[in-house]
Amino acid sequence: MAVQQLGAILDLIGEGTISGKIAKDVFDIVWNEGGDPKAIVEERGMKQVTDLGAIEKVVDDIIAQNPTRLSSSRQSPP
C-alpha cells in the first residue's frame, strides 16, 4: 500500500464520506487488491449515509414492503 492510498483513506474519513468501520474494509481491499480508495468507495457503494431524510425514506420503504412483519412485531414486542 502506498502512502498516497493511506492518505486517501484518511481524507475520506475526514470528509465524512466513510466511517472508521468502512475505512477498515477499504483498507483491506486496497491492501489485498490495490486500487484507488476513492474509486473503490464509489464503485462499491460504500459511502456513509448521513442524510436523515434518506435514512427515513429507506426505513419507510422497508416498513411499507413488510406490513405483516410490522403487525406481528406490534402484537408481540420483545
Side-chain angles (χ1 to χ4, degrees):
M1 175 178 293
V3 173
Q4 294 83 359
Q5 290 168 308
L6 183 57
I9 293 172
L10 294 174
D11 288 343
L12 290 167
I13 295 169
E15 297 164 358
T17 304
I18 61 173
S19 65
K21 182 189 179 322
I22 295 170
K24 290 177 186 177
D25 295 339
V26 174
F27 182 92
D28 286 342
I29 293 167
V30 173
W31 181 266
N32 292 312
E33 302 173 20
D36 173 37
K38 290 181 181 183
I40 290 167
V41 168
E42 286 289 329
E43 292 166 1
R44 299 187 187 200
M46 299 174 84
K47 279 188 175 182
Q48 175 173 258
V49 178
T50 56
D51 176 7
L52 187 56
I55 295 169
E56 288 174 343
K57 182 179 178 339
V58 170
V59 171
D60 290 342
D61 290 346
I62 291 169
I63 290 171
Q65 293 172 6
N66 297 283
T68 55
R69 289 189 179 179
L70 177 63
S71 175
S72 171
S73 69
R74 286 184 174 161
Q75 293 174 1
S76 57

